[in-house]
Amino acid sequence: MSESPVPHEPPIYRQIADALRDRILSGDLRDGDRLPGENALMAEYTIARATARQALAVLINEGLAVPKRGSGVYVRLFKPIRRHGSRRLARRQWGEGRSIWDADTRGRPFTVDQVEVAREQAPDEVANVLGTPDVWVRRRRYLVDSRPVQLATSYFPARLVEGSPITQPDTGPGGVYARLGDLDLPPVHFTEEVRARMPSPREIALLGLPAGTPVIVVDRTAYLTEGSPVEVNEMVLDAAAYVLQYDFDA
């Protein structure tokens, strides 16, 4: 009877990464703590610099750590945001003056730290959906627990929202959907398409993404009662910061 093969041990850089991961997940190393650097790992495990660098790269690529140039590698723990597709867009949410973000964050602090509003000519694909190239555009960056998690760009037909608070940085309670309601243009139906891709350099900078972190892109169109589109919104999400939840009946 032949003997069972002896399983191979993982390479040393994997063993080191596993040990550091255990310290992170056990709470020994907390969010914002500096991980042992390459020199410390070389001394502790008697390894080459390249091996130490590989071990830290494993945690960076898993989203558990982030490098800071000239400073070191730091723990990056973040409780994922549970984005409930239908609950956040329910009329009872924005219709009562609550931000749709309240449905996502559930009491966690969130802010919009960058807002740009301008009248522009829409990209062709947006103009084709809205039926006009003349739009008001709202660009925002959202932070949760002081961490950038999402970029959003919304387009509205200029003829429908001209002179309304939608063309101002602060739209007031309930956000743009509440203001569309004030204009007798409440959205009654939404469609969302979801895809994943690697981020652009601009998105990496604005979201502070570690190397190898993808983004989730959600393209949403809001429709009026008669089926006319009133908004196109492209959202770019840090994939490591989100869980997407959709409920539906069989």
Side-chain angles (χ1 to χ4, degrees):
M1 184 175 180
S2 61
E3 295 182 1
S4 299
V6 178
H8 294 291
E9 285 191 346
I12 184 63
Y13 79 90
R14 284 281 180 186
Q15 296 179 44
I16 297 169
D18 291 343
L20 291 173
R21 187 189 303 103
D22 288 344
R23 292 183 62 189
I24 292 171
L25 298 181
S26 70
D28 181 38
L29 289 169
R30 300 187 178 184
D31 189 37
D33 284 353
R34 188 178 185 276
L35 291 174
E38 293 177 7
N39 290 337
L41 293 177
M42 290 165 60
E44 180 177 353
Y45 292 96
T46 317
I47 55 173
R49 183 174 300 278
T51 303
R53 188 172 297 140
Q54 280 182 296
L56 293 172
V58 169
L59 301 178
I60 292 169
N61 291 333
E62 290 178 356
L64 290 175
V66 58
K68 297 183 180 179
R69 186 181 297 274
S71 178
V73 179
Y74 293 80
V75 177
R76 187 184 194 244
L77 288 178
F78 185 79
K79 180 182 178 182
I81 302 162
R82 185 167 293 275
R83 184 184 188 277
H84 193 291
S86 56
R87 183 184 301 146
R88 68 195 307 271
L89 294 174
R91 185 165 184 172
R92 64 177 177 274
Q93 183 73 22
W94 49 265
E96 296 175 2
R98 298 195 301 271
S99 168
I100 61 176
W101 276 81
D102 288 331
D104 294 342
T105 57
R106 301 185 184 186
R108 296 166 69 182
F110 68 91
T111 56
V112 185
D113 77 327
Q114 296 181 14
V115 181
E116 177 190 342
V117 186
R119 184 166 180 164
E120 299 178 4
Q121 294 295 291
D124 289 344
E125 62 272 19
V126 173
N128 290 337
V129 173
L130 295 178
T132 177
D134 193 12
V135 295
W136 276 94
V137 185
R138 299 182 58 84
R139 296 182 177 89
R140 295 90 70 205
R141 182 174 77 163
Y142 294 91
L143 283 66
V144 174
D145 294 338
S146 300
R147 169 176 162 177
V149 295
Q150 179 181 311
L151 309 175
T153 303
S154 294
Y155 303 87
F156 302 88
R159 60 182 175 80
L160 296 181
V161 302
E162 193 70 64
S164 75
I166 292 172
T167 66
Q168 302 299 317
D170 185 358
T171 57
V176 295
Y177 296 143
R179 301 295 75 77
L180 286 171
D182 295 342
L183 295 171
D184 292 327
L185 298 170
V188 299
H189 181 74
F190 300 92
T191 63
E192 288 191 344
E193 295 181 353
V194 181
R195 68 186 189 278
R197 61 168 169 79
M198 297 309 294
S200 68
R202 175 181 177 274
E203 292 163 347
I204 291 173
L206 287 174
L207 292 173
L209 299 174
T213 302
V215 292
I216 299 169
V217 180
V218 181
D219 290 315
R220 181 171 70 227
T221 305
Y223 295 90
L224 303 177
T225 304
E226 71 276 13
S228 300
V230 70
E231 179 208 29
V232 171
N233 187 358
E234 180 179 79
M235 293 153 278
V236 179
L237 287 58
D238 175 356
Y242 275 88
V243 173
L244 306 186
Q245 178 180 343
Y246 296 91
D247 297 332
F248 47 88
D249 296 328

